[in-house]
Amino acid sequence: MKAAIYERYGPPEVVEVRDVPKPQPGAGEVLIRVHATTVTTADWRARSLEMPAGFGTLGRLVFGVRGPRKQILGSEVAGVVEAVGEGVTRSRVGDEVFAFDGYGMGGHAEYKRMRETGPIARKPANLSFEEAAALSFGGTTALHFLRKAKLQSGERVLVNGASGGVGTAVVQIARHLGADVTAVCSAANADLVRSLGAQRVIDYTTQDFAASGESWDVIVDTVGTAPYARSRRALREGGRLLLVLAPLSGLLGALWVSMTTRHKVIAGPAPERPEDLRALAEMAEQGAYRPFIDRTFRLDQIVDAHRLVDSGRKRGNVVVTVLE
């Protein structure tokens, strides 16, 4: 099968499309013929080892000290079940599915093997394979943090970095939960985030939300530029700061802030859970959540997809079509 391989850390050009052995499903596993996958910021970090401050050593321990331990990137896929292993009861050959394997990766290939009990769900009928492939990374992150914040209908939410893959998911899901959403992004992306449900947009190039005199119940920082020291003035009493992206110091300080102030800081990784994928599929079927796709590339153009993600200027999600 064809797969995008990287054998050393570095820029997009370290990725090459090669022929590799096709996996076979073992007991309790399914084999997905991949129609579409994504290149996310997680792929960028794993490929380049550019980590938030304080996580450099941990990054090498996780991904490989001397070189990549797992050489096929890609955590999100959508496709069709081609084969099933012994004991599989929930999936059948021909099922249209989407899956999210997190650190398991392996999605940038023509076939992806998954545990039947893992984060895998039926593809929403109203989404294309390309859209379904982009459901999970931003969607599960948004669900995790908004649940941890115990978001209530009617609360005011500010999303810093609202036009990215996670940000566009947070805007839609927060609106679905009944929140009043303010989006922080560039003026060029204002129409996009409004179309996703943001009631107000702040252009970060001309206005600092933290110095505006306004306050919010929940602030979601998806890009790492709104730590507690900056955001505290904009948090209402009992407000929650959700650090989707933060340096090690931010994670270590979260507990201290929560213990010593009337605010709560929530940080840390989001898990990959099958029930979250099913919840996202249900929201998609209801029309409440639809991943926004910036650009779609072919598998043989995957280096260009990595370049777009590296630029820091992607909007929403970058998708790679594997089976056209």
Side-chain angles (χ1 to χ4, degrees), residues 1-309:
M1 69 171 183
K2 300 287 186 184
I5 304 290
Y6 81 123
E7 296 177 327
R8 59 187 176 89
Y9 301 116
E13 291 74 22
V14 301
V15 179
E16 299 180 359
V17 177
R18 299 182 189 171
D19 288 309
V20 299
K22 176 182 173 181
Q24 298 299 321
E29 295 180 332
V30 300
L31 183 68
I32 301 169
R33 176 64 166 102
V34 177
H35 285 235
T37 182
T38 61
V39 177
T40 68
T41 54
D43 295 312
W44 159 58
R45 292 196 183 281
R47 191 207 71 234
S48 66
L49 274 192
E50 292 189 33
M51 299 289 163
F55 286 100
T57 300
L58 180 60
R60 280 199 177 269
L61 290 175
V62 170
F63 295 112
V65 175
R66 298 188 178 182
R69 185 174 292 114
K70 297 182 179 181
Q71 297 180 345
I72 303 176
L73 296 169
S75 59
E76 298 178 284
V77 300
V80 176
V81 175
E82 179 165 295
V84 300
E86 183 181 352
V88 169
T89 59
R90 302 178 188 177
S91 300
R92 294 183 299 177
V93 172
D95 285 349
E96 295 185 348
V97 298
F98 70 105
F100 184 40
D101 205 13
Y103 177 63
M105 300 188 196
H108 294 170
E110 292 180 320
Y111 293 90
K112 168 64 179 168
R113 186 172 57 191
M114 288 283 298
R115 291 178 294 106
E116 183 197 24
T117 56
I120 181 172
R122 294 293 182 89
K123 180 182 81 68
N126 59 331
L127 296 191
S128 66
F129 283 109
E130 289 77 13
E131 290 171 317
L135 270 172
S136 305
F137 180 73
T140 58
T141 302
L143 276 179
H144 169 74
F145 279 93
L146 293 176
R147 284 172 176 165
K148 293 280 283 187
K150 299 180 180 179
L151 179 66
Q152 302 296 309
S153 179
E155 288 193 306
R156 299 190 74 210
V157 175
L158 179 135
V159 185
N160 185 45
S163 62
V166 174
T168 51
V170 174
V171 169
Q172 294 180 75
I173 294 174
R175 283 293 295 132
H176 176 62
L177 296 174
D180 181 291
V181 178
T182 299
V184 179
C185 60
S186 68
N189 293 322
D191 288 343
L192 165 62
V193 295
R194 285 194 183 97
S195 74
L196 299 177
Q199 289 115 314
R200 184 182 168 205
V201 180
I202 294 176
D203 178 2
Y204 73 86
T205 66
T206 61
Q207 184 180 1
D208 179 4
F209 77 85
S212 66
E214 294 188 68
S215 60
W216 289 266
D217 299 289
V218 176
I219 294 176
V220 187
D221 181 18
T222 73
V223 289
T225 60
Y228 182 71
R230 178 187 176 201
S231 298
R232 61 181 181 176
R233 292 175 294 172
L235 278 173
R236 291 180 170 178
E237 185 171 340
R240 291 86 79 199
L241 172 62
L242 313 183
L243 297 179
V244 176
L245 178 63
L248 181 59
S249 59
L251 269 66
L252 296 177
L255 180 60
W256 177 253
V257 171
S258 300
M259 290 174 57
T260 59
T261 74
R262 295 182 179 271
H263 298 146
K264 186 174 183 180
V265 177
I266 298 169
E272 300 101 30
R273 306 189 306 173
E275 55 266 37
D276 288 346
L277 267 63
R278 292 192 288 269
L280 294 171
E282 184 176 348
M283 281 189 277
E285 289 168 345
Q286 295 171 354
Y289 171 47
R290 195 177 200 107
F292 178 79
I293 296 174
D294 186 337
R295 287 187 62 187
T296 300
F297 298 85
R298 300 188 310 271
L299 183 60
D300 61 4
Q301 298 172 316
I302 196 167
V303 171
D304 293 325
H306 277 276
R307 288 184 183 127
L308 177 55
V309 175

